[in-house]
Amino acid sequence: MKRLIINADDFGLNEMVNVGIIQGHTAGIITSTTIMACGKAFDHAVPLALDNKKLGIGVHLTLVGERPVCNPSTIPSLVDKEGFLSPQYPQFLKRFCLGQIKLDDIKKELTAQVQKVADCGLPITHLDSHQHMHIVPGIIDITIELAKKFSIKAVRIPSEPYLFLGGYPFSTSRIVARAGLTCLARIARKKIIERGLIAPNHFFGMLAGGNMHEEFLLQIINKLPEGISEIMMHPGVNESILHTIYNWNYHWQAELNAITSENVRQQITNRGIQLISFGELGND
């Protein structure tokens, strides 16, 4: 049997992203999303989540690009002089590898993020992270500890196959980055299994991250392997405005169009693929 989770990242990042995710759920194939506790639009996202009970809600652990949940003075190694987290993962990883970021500070901040979501009454289905920082050695151990502490049974393992291209317009640097991520993800998978946690068998969406047009989504669906797969998506509305805020070269509207495409839904039906959320993992 082929089962598929369509997970929308960045819920809580921006109200226009929130609206896109909810549209992708109510009018499309999104089954799951992950909320950013330190996102600027977190308070906008929570009531939307509570109103859409069938939408699985995970926590998008965030160590870059936002202000922390904790008071910056309590996590000094994670923040700059203005109290912000590192702007992007290269800066974070450089400081982390040089030993300039303390694991205790990471644990304190990520615990606060999960607690903030739990305090809103949202049942948490799984953990993943902004820019996949949760699978970095050392941080994966904190992620596992948090899953156990909050009785969360699933963790994303972003191990897209090394040789899968899916027709994406890729660069060599992105292929290399994907290979490194997949290598770390496979190590992380062994750790979560040893601790009794679960994850989908397959993952797609790294190479086409932010660029998952309908044709690329169909490439994955038409070649979906047996077992449980996760496809990572980044839908949103008012893309021209989002481009002025985030210099990511994402195609939010194209991803929303793909998610709500009747052609995509028909292909899922034709191939006998069952759509599920992270909350349904382990219910066999």
Side-chain angles (χ1 to χ4, degrees):
M1 179 182 292
K2 297 180 181 180
R3 291 185 286 176
L4 177 60
I5 297 168
I6 305 289
N7 190 89
D9 286 19
D10 299 339
F11 196 43
L13 175 73
N14 182 284
E15 290 190 10
M16 289 172 281
V17 171
N18 294 350
V19 170
I21 289 172
I22 295 302
Q23 286 185 12
H25 172 62
T26 58
I29 58 172
I30 290 176
T31 60
S32 177
T33 188
T34 31
I35 192 167
M36 301 175 73
C38 55
K40 297 178 181 66
F42 176 81
D43 290 339
H44 178 259
V46 170
L48 293 174
L50 292 171
D51 287 343
N52 289 273
K53 302 295 186 182
K54 293 184 179 179
L55 180 63
I57 305 292
V59 179
H60 204 48
L61 301 171
T62 303
L63 292 169
V64 298
E66 300 291 329
R67 291 190 69 92
V69 170
C70 289
N71 186 316
S73 66
T74 66
I75 48 168
S77 73
L78 274 181
V79 297
D80 61 18
K81 293 179 181 179
E82 285 72 43
F84 282 92
L85 300 168
S86 296
Q88 295 286 341
Y89 76 87
Q91 296 95 327
F92 174 87
L93 288 178
K94 179 180 179 180
R95 296 188 62 239
F96 183 78
C97 291
L98 291 173
Q100 296 173 353
I101 294 178
K102 296 179 180 179
L103 285 173
D104 284 347
D105 286 356
I106 293 175
K107 180 178 178 181
K108 184 180 295 183
E109 171 59 21
L110 296 186
T111 301
Q113 290 181 17
V114 179
Q115 188 66 60
K116 182 176 178 180
V117 176
D119 287 346
C120 293
L122 294 171
I124 300 171
T125 60
H126 70 291
L127 300 175
D128 61 26
S129 63
H130 196 42
Q131 299 185 5
H132 306 295
M133 292 296 96
H134 74 288
I135 63 161
V136 171
I139 302 177
I140 183 60
D141 301 291
I142 293 172
T143 302
I144 291 169
E145 187 176 340
L146 286 174
K148 291 293 188 179
K149 175 182 175 68
F150 289 91
S151 299
I152 301 166
K153 63 183 180 180
V155 176
R156 167 185 285 169
I157 298 296
S159 57
E160 190 168 58
Y162 289 116
L163 301 180
F164 182 80
L165 300 180
Y168 311 141
F170 63 87
S171 64
T172 301
S173 62
R174 198 162 180 88
I175 287 287
V176 171
R178 195 266 300 273
L181 180 68
T182 296
C183 179
L184 291 179
R186 292 186 174 186
I187 295 170
R189 182 183 294 278
K190 293 180 181 178
K191 286 196 169 188
I192 72 159
I193 290 173
E194 287 172 356
R195 295 296 304 277
L197 301 174
I198 54 179
N201 308 110
H202 316 286
F203 173 86
F204 298 94
M206 167 55 187
L207 201 60
N211 190 38
M212 189 70 80
H213 293 251
E214 180 176 337
E215 62 180 299
F216 307 139
L217 182 57
L218 284 170
Q219 286 267 7
I220 298 172
I221 289 168
N222 291 334
K223 297 179 181 179
L224 201 71
E226 294 292 328
I228 301 171
S229 300
E230 177 195 359
I231 300 178
M232 176 181 67
M233 303 292 296
H234 299 86
V237 299
N238 298 329
E239 183 173 291
S240 60
I241 299 175
L242 286 172
H243 280 304
T244 67
I245 303 171
Y246 307 104
N247 186 28
W248 297 351
N249 195 31
Y250 275 18
H251 295 81
W252 289 275
Q253 186 64 54
E255 295 213 4
L256 178 57
N257 293 344
I259 290 163
T260 55
S261 163
E262 185 56 37
N263 186 28
V264 169
R265 185 186 292 276
Q266 191 60 52
Q267 286 299 316
I268 289 172
T269 299
N270 291 346
R271 295 181 178 278
I273 298 168
Q274 179 187 4
L275 290 173
I276 65 171
S277 75
F278 271 95
E280 295 170 81
L281 293 182
N283 292 340
D284 300 331

PDB file of all heavy atoms in Angstrom, residues 103-127:
ATOM      1  N   LEU A 103      24.518  23.641  23.522  1.00  0.00           N
ATOM      2  CA  LEU A 103      23.373  22.740  23.415  1.00  0.00           C
ATOM      3  C   LEU A 103      22.325  23.027  24.490  1.00  0.00           C
ATOM      4  O   LEU A 103      21.124  22.849  24.258  1.00  0.00           O
ATOM      5  CB  LEU A 103      23.834  21.283  23.507  1.00  0.00           C
ATOM      6  CG  LEU A 103      24.526  20.706  22.261  1.00  0.00           C
ATOM      7  CD1 LEU A 103      25.086  19.327  22.558  1.00  0.00           C
ATOM      8  CD2 LEU A 103      23.556  20.641  21.080  1.00  0.00           C
ATOM      9  N   ASP A 104      22.759  23.476  25.649  1.00  0.00           N
ATOM     10  CA  ASP A 104      21.804  23.817  26.708  1.00  0.00           C
ATOM     11  C   ASP A 104      20.883  24.953  26.270  1.00  0.00           C
ATOM     12  O   ASP A 104      19.685  24.961  26.595  1.00  0.00           O
ATOM     13  CB  ASP A 104      22.538  24.209  27.994  1.00  0.00           C
ATOM     14  CG  ASP A 104      23.100  23.017  28.743  1.00  0.00           C
ATOM     15  OD1 ASP A 104      22.715  21.874  28.407  1.00  0.00           O
ATOM     16  OD2 ASP A 104      23.906  23.218  29.659  1.00  0.00           O
ATOM     17  N   ASP A 105      21.423  25.929  25.538  1.00  0.00           N
ATOM     18  CA  ASP A 105      20.600  27.026  25.039  1.00  0.00           C
ATOM     19  C   ASP A 105      19.619  26.530  23.986  1.00  0.00           C
ATOM     20  O   ASP A 105      18.455  26.963  23.944  1.00  0.00           O
ATOM     21  CB  ASP A 105      21.480  28.132  24.455  1.00  0.00           C
ATOM     22  CG  ASP A 105      22.195  28.946  25.524  1.00  0.00           C
ATOM     23  OD1 ASP A 105      21.936  28.702  26.719  1.00  0.00           O
ATOM     24  OD2 ASP A 105      23.011  29.812  25.163  1.00  0.00           O
ATOM     25  N   ILE A 106      20.085  25.632  23.124  1.00  0.00           N
ATOM     26  CA  ILE A 106      19.203  25.045  22.111  1.00  0.00           C
ATOM     27  C   ILE A 106      18.067  24.287  22.786  1.00  0.00           C
ATOM     28  O   ILE A 106      16.898  24.444  22.426  1.00  0.00           O
ATOM     29  CB  ILE A 106      19.992  24.116  21.171  1.00  0.00           C
ATOM     30  CG1 ILE A 106      20.975  24.926  20.327  1.00  0.00           C
ATOM     31  CG2 ILE A 106      19.048  23.308  20.278  1.00  0.00           C
ATOM     32  CD1 ILE A 106      21.885  24.077  19.449  1.00  0.00           C
ATOM     33  N   LYS A 107      18.405  23.480  23.764  1.00  0.00           N
ATOM     34  CA  LYS A 107      17.388  22.702  24.461  1.00  0.00           C
ATOM     35  C   LYS A 107      16.369  23.607  25.142  1.00  0.00           C
ATOM     36  O   LYS A 107      15.156  23.358  25.082  1.00  0.00           O
ATOM     37  CB  LYS A 107      18.053  21.791  25.495  1.00  0.00           C
ATOM     38  CG  LYS A 107      17.070  20.928  26.274  1.00  0.00           C
ATOM     39  CD  LYS A 107      17.803  20.022  27.253  1.00  0.00           C
ATOM     40  CE  LYS A 107      16.840  19.195  28.074  1.00  0.00           C
ATOM     41  NZ  LYS A 107      17.561  18.319  29.043  1.00  0.00           N
ATOM     42  N   LYS A 108      16.841  24.676  25.765  1.00  0.00           N
ATOM     43  CA  LYS A 108      15.934  25.597  26.459  1.00  0.00           C
ATOM     44  C   LYS A 108      14.966  26.249  25.472  1.00  0.00           C
ATOM     45  O   LYS A 108      13.755  26.326  25.722  1.00  0.00           O
ATOM     46  CB  LYS A 108      16.744  26.662  27.200  1.00  0.00           C
ATOM     47  CG  LYS A 108      15.910  27.618  28.035  1.00  0.00           C
ATOM     48  CD  LYS A 108      16.795  28.641  28.738  1.00  0.00           C
ATOM     49  CE  LYS A 108      17.705  27.992  29.753  1.00  0.00           C
ATOM     50  NZ  LYS A 108      18.517  28.989  30.498  1.00  0.00           N
ATOM     51  N   GLU A 109      15.481  26.712  24.334  1.00  0.00           N
ATOM     52  CA  GLU A 109      14.633  27.392  23.365  1.00  0.00           C
ATOM     53  C   GLU A 109      13.653  26.431  22.693  1.00  0.00           C
ATOM     54  O   GLU A 109      12.458  26.744  22.571  1.00  0.00           O
ATOM     55  CB  GLU A 109      15.502  28.085  22.299  1.00  0.00           C
ATOM     56  CG  GLU A 109      14.734  28.657  21.116  1.00  0.00           C
ATOM     57  CD  GLU A 109      13.694  29.704  21.480  1.00  0.00           C
ATOM     58  OE1 GLU A 109      13.792  30.313  22.575  1.00  0.00           O
ATOM     59  OE2 GLU A 109      12.768  29.921  20.673  1.00  0.00           O
ATOM     60  N   LEU A 110      14.110  25.275  22.280  1.00  0.00           N
ATOM     61  CA  LEU A 110      13.218  24.336  21.602  1.00  0.00           C
ATOM     62  C   LEU A 110      12.150  23.790  22.551  1.00  0.00           C
ATOM     63  O   LEU A 110      11.010  23.565  22.144  1.00  0.00           O
ATOM     64  CB  LEU A 110      14.013  23.198  20.970  1.00  0.00           C
ATOM     65  CG  LEU A 110      14.978  23.606  19.844  1.00  0.00           C
ATOM     66  CD1 LEU A 110      15.595  22.370  19.200  1.00  0.00           C
ATOM     67  CD2 LEU A 110      14.284  24.467  18.792  1.00  0.00           C
ATOM     68  N   THR A 111      12.513  23.594  23.803  1.00  0.00           N
ATOM     69  CA  THR A 111      11.518  23.173  24.798  1.00  0.00           C
ATOM     70  C   THR A 111      10.435  24.232  24.939  1.00  0.00           C
ATOM     71  O   THR A 111       9.236  23.927  24.994  1.00  0.00           O
ATOM     72  CB  THR A 111      12.179  22.915  26.157  1.00  0.00           C
ATOM     73  OG1 THR A 111      13.175  21.897  26.018  1.00  0.00           O
ATOM     74  CG2 THR A 111      11.151  22.467  27.193  1.00  0.00           C
ATOM     75  N   ALA A 112      10.843  25.490  24.977  1.00  0.00           N
ATOM     76  CA  ALA A 112       9.886  26.587  25.098  1.00  0.00           C
ATOM     77  C   ALA A 112       8.962  26.647  23.881  1.00  0.00           C
ATOM     78  O   ALA A 112       7.767  26.952  24.011  1.00  0.00           O
ATOM     79  CB  ALA A 112      10.627  27.914  25.272  1.00  0.00           C
ATOM     80  N   GLN A 113       9.506  26.354  22.712  1.00  0.00           N
ATOM     81  CA  GLN A 113       8.679  26.379  21.496  1.00  0.00           C
ATOM     82  C   GLN A 113       7.611  25.289  21.530  1.00  0.00           C
ATOM     83  O   GLN A 113       6.433  25.544  21.234  1.00  0.00           O
ATOM     84  CB  GLN A 113       9.567  26.228  20.263  1.00  0.00           C
ATOM     85  CG  GLN A 113      10.449  27.434  19.989  1.00  0.00           C
ATOM     86  CD  GLN A 113      11.314  27.283  18.752  1.00  0.00           C
ATOM     87  OE1 GLN A 113      11.059  26.434  17.900  1.00  0.00           O
ATOM     88  NE2 GLN A 113      12.354  28.106  18.629  1.00  0.00           N
ATOM     89  N   VAL A 114       7.996  24.074  21.882  1.00  0.00           N
ATOM     90  CA  VAL A 114       7.018  22.983  21.933  1.00  0.00           C
ATOM     91  C   VAL A 114       5.989  23.248  23.029  1.00  0.00           C
ATOM     92  O   VAL A 114       4.790  23.018  22.855  1.00  0.00           O
ATOM     93  CB  VAL A 114       7.713  21.623  22.141  1.00  0.00           C
ATOM     94  CG1 VAL A 114       6.680  20.502  22.206  1.00  0.00           C
ATOM     95  CG2 VAL A 114       8.720  21.346  21.023  1.00  0.00           C
ATOM     96  N   GLN A 115       6.452  23.748  24.169  1.00  0.00           N
ATOM     97  CA  GLN A 115       5.534  24.051  25.275  1.00  0.00           C
ATOM     98  C   GLN A 115       4.522  25.114  24.870  1.00  0.00           C
ATOM     99  O   GLN A 115       3.334  25.026  25.225  1.00  0.00           O
ATOM    100  CB  GLN A 115       6.327  24.535  26.490  1.00  0.00           C
ATOM    101  CG  GLN A 115       5.475  24.698  27.747  1.00  0.00           C
ATOM    102  CD  GLN A 115       4.941  23.371  28.254  1.00  0.00           C
ATOM    103  OE1 GLN A 115       5.709  22.475  28.590  1.00  0.00           O
ATOM    104  NE2 GLN A 115       3.624  23.234  28.300  1.00  0.00           N
ATOM    105  N   LYS A 116       4.952  26.116  24.118  1.00  0.00           N
ATOM    106  CA  LYS A 116       4.050  27.183  23.671  1.00  0.00           C
ATOM    107  C   LYS A 116       2.926  26.625  22.802  1.00  0.00           C
ATOM    108  O   LYS A 116       1.768  27.006  22.943  1.00  0.00           O
ATOM    109  CB  LYS A 116       4.839  28.242  22.901  1.00  0.00           C
ATOM    110  CG  LYS A 116       4.002  29.426  22.433  1.00  0.00           C
ATOM    111  CD  LYS A 116       4.866  30.472  21.754  1.00  0.00           C
ATOM    112  CE  LYS A 116       4.022  31.654  21.239  1.00  0.00           C
ATOM    113  NZ  LYS A 116       4.857  32.689  20.583  1.00  0.00           N
ATOM    114  N   VAL A 117       3.276  25.690  21.910  1.00  0.00           N
ATOM    115  CA  VAL A 117       2.263  25.068  21.059  1.00  0.00           C
ATOM    116  C   VAL A 117       1.329  24.195  21.897  1.00  0.00           C
ATOM    117  O   VAL A 117       0.101  24.253  21.759  1.00  0.00           O
ATOM    118  CB  VAL A 117       2.917  24.241  19.942  1.00  0.00           C
ATOM    119  CG1 VAL A 117       1.855  23.516  19.113  1.00  0.00           C
ATOM    120  CG2 VAL A 117       3.772  25.140  19.042  1.00  0.00           C
ATOM    121  N   ALA A 118       1.905  23.400  22.789  1.00  0.00           N
ATOM    122  CA  ALA A 118       1.092  22.522  23.638  1.00  0.00           C
ATOM    123  C   ALA A 118       0.128  23.322  24.503  1.00  0.00           C
ATOM    124  O   ALA A 118      -1.017  22.914  24.720  1.00  0.00           O
ATOM    125  CB  ALA A 118       2.004  21.658  24.515  1.00  0.00           C
ATOM    126  N   ASP A 119       0.572  24.484  24.996  1.00  0.00           N
ATOM    127  CA  ASP A 119      -0.266  25.310  25.866  1.00  0.00           C
ATOM    128  C   ASP A 119      -1.481  25.884  25.129  1.00  0.00           C
ATOM    129  O   ASP A 119      -2.437  26.325  25.776  1.00  0.00           O
ATOM    130  CB  ASP A 119       0.555  26.461  26.450  1.00  0.00           C
ATOM    131  CG  ASP A 119       1.537  25.998  27.516  1.00  0.00           C
ATOM    132  OD1 ASP A 119       1.405  24.859  27.985  1.00  0.00           O
ATOM    133  OD2 ASP A 119       2.455  26.775  27.852  1.00  0.00           O
ATOM    134  N   CYS A 120      -1.447  25.867  23.794  1.00  0.00           N
ATOM    135  CA  CYS A 120      -2.588  26.365  23.008  1.00  0.00           C
ATOM    136  C   CYS A 120      -3.668  25.300  22.823  1.00  0.00           C
ATOM    137  O   CYS A 120      -4.707  25.570  22.207  1.00  0.00           O
ATOM    138  CB  CYS A 120      -2.109  26.847  21.640  1.00  0.00           C
ATOM    139  SG  CYS A 120      -1.071  28.317  21.701  1.00  0.00           S
ATOM    140  N   GLY A 121      -3.414  24.108  23.332  1.00  0.00           N
ATOM    141  CA  GLY A 121      -4.390  23.042  23.214  1.00  0.00           C
ATOM    142  C   GLY A 121      -4.347  22.301  21.898  1.00  0.00           C
ATOM    143  O   GLY A 121      -5.278  21.559  21.568  1.00  0.00           O
ATOM    144  N   LEU A 122      -3.264  22.475  21.153  1.00  0.00           N
ATOM    145  CA  LEU A 122      -3.124  21.771  19.882  1.00  0.00           C
ATOM    146  C   LEU A 122      -2.471  20.410  20.108  1.00  0.00           C
ATOM    147  O   LEU A 122      -1.374  20.338  20.688  1.00  0.00           O
ATOM    148  CB  LEU A 122      -2.263  22.590  18.918  1.00  0.00           C
ATOM    149  CG  LEU A 122      -2.845  23.930  18.456  1.00  0.00           C
ATOM    150  CD1 LEU A 122      -1.802  24.721  17.678  1.00  0.00           C
ATOM    151  CD2 LEU A 122      -4.082  23.702  17.606  1.00  0.00           C
ATOM    152  N   PRO A 123      -3.104  19.323  19.680  1.00  0.00           N
ATOM    153  CA  PRO A 123      -2.460  18.015  19.773  1.00  0.00           C
ATOM    154  C   PRO A 123      -1.313  17.938  18.771  1.00  0.00           C
ATOM    155  O   PRO A 123      -1.521  18.112  17.568  1.00  0.00           O
ATOM    156  CB  PRO A 123      -3.585  17.033  19.422  1.00  0.00           C
ATOM    157  CG  PRO A 123      -4.575  17.829  18.646  1.00  0.00           C
ATOM    158  CD  PRO A 123      -4.465  19.243  19.118  1.00  0.00           C
ATOM    159  N   ILE A 124      -0.113  17.707  19.250  1.00  0.00           N
ATOM    160  CA  ILE A 124       1.080  17.760  18.395  1.00  0.00           C
ATOM    161  C   ILE A 124       1.339  16.385  17.786  1.00  0.00           C
ATOM    162  O   ILE A 124       1.539  15.404  18.499  1.00  0.00           O
ATOM    163  CB  ILE A 124       2.299  18.225  19.205  1.00  0.00           C
ATOM    164  CG1 ILE A 124       2.041  19.622  19.786  1.00  0.00           C
ATOM    165  CG2 ILE A 124       3.552  18.244  18.337  1.00  0.00           C
ATOM    166  CD1 ILE A 124       3.088  20.082  20.787  1.00  0.00           C
ATOM    167  N   THR A 125       1.343  16.332  16.461  1.00  0.00           N
ATOM    168  CA  THR A 125       1.493  15.048  15.764  1.00  0.00           C
ATOM    169  C   THR A 125       2.941  14.658  15.519  1.00  0.00           C
ATOM    170  O   THR A 125       3.264  13.477  15.448  1.00  0.00           O
ATOM    171  CB  THR A 125       0.773  15.085  14.413  1.00  0.00           C
ATOM    172  OG1 THR A 125       1.342  16.134  13.597  1.00  0.00           O
ATOM    173  CG2 THR A 125      -0.718  15.335  14.583  1.00  0.00           C
ATOM    174  N   HIS A 126       3.834  15.653  15.362  1.00  0.00           N
ATOM    175  CA  HIS A 126       5.220  15.319  15.023  1.00  0.00           C
ATOM    176  C   HIS A 126       6.120  16.541  15.179  1.00  0.00           C
ATOM    177  O   HIS A 126       5.638  17.658  15.412  1.00  0.00           O
ATOM    178  CB  HIS A 126       5.313  14.778  13.594  1.00  0.00           C
ATOM    179  CG  HIS A 126       5.073  15.807  12.524  1.00  0.00           C
ATOM    180  ND1 HIS A 126       3.842  16.373  12.301  1.00  0.00           N
ATOM    181  CD2 HIS A 126       5.911  16.381  11.615  1.00  0.00           C
ATOM    182  CE1 HIS A 126       3.921  17.232  11.292  1.00  0.00           C
ATOM    183  NE2 HIS A 126       5.162  17.265  10.872  1.00  0.00           N
ATOM    184  N   LEU A 127       7.406  16.324  15.033  1.00  0.00           N
ATOM    185  CA  LEU A 127       8.397  17.392  15.051  1.00  0.00           C
ATOM    186  C   LEU A 127       9.170  17.405  13.736  1.00  0.00           C
ATOM    187  O   LEU A 127       9.533  16.356  13.204  1.00  0.00           O
ATOM    188  CB  LEU A 127       9.393  17.199  16.201  1.00  0.00           C
ATOM    189  CG  LEU A 127       8.839  17.186  17.628  1.00  0.00           C
ATOM    190  CD1 LEU A 127       9.956  16.869  18.615  1.00  0.00           C
ATOM    191  CD2 LEU A 127       8.182  18.520  17.976  1.00  0.00           C
TER     192      LEU A 127
END
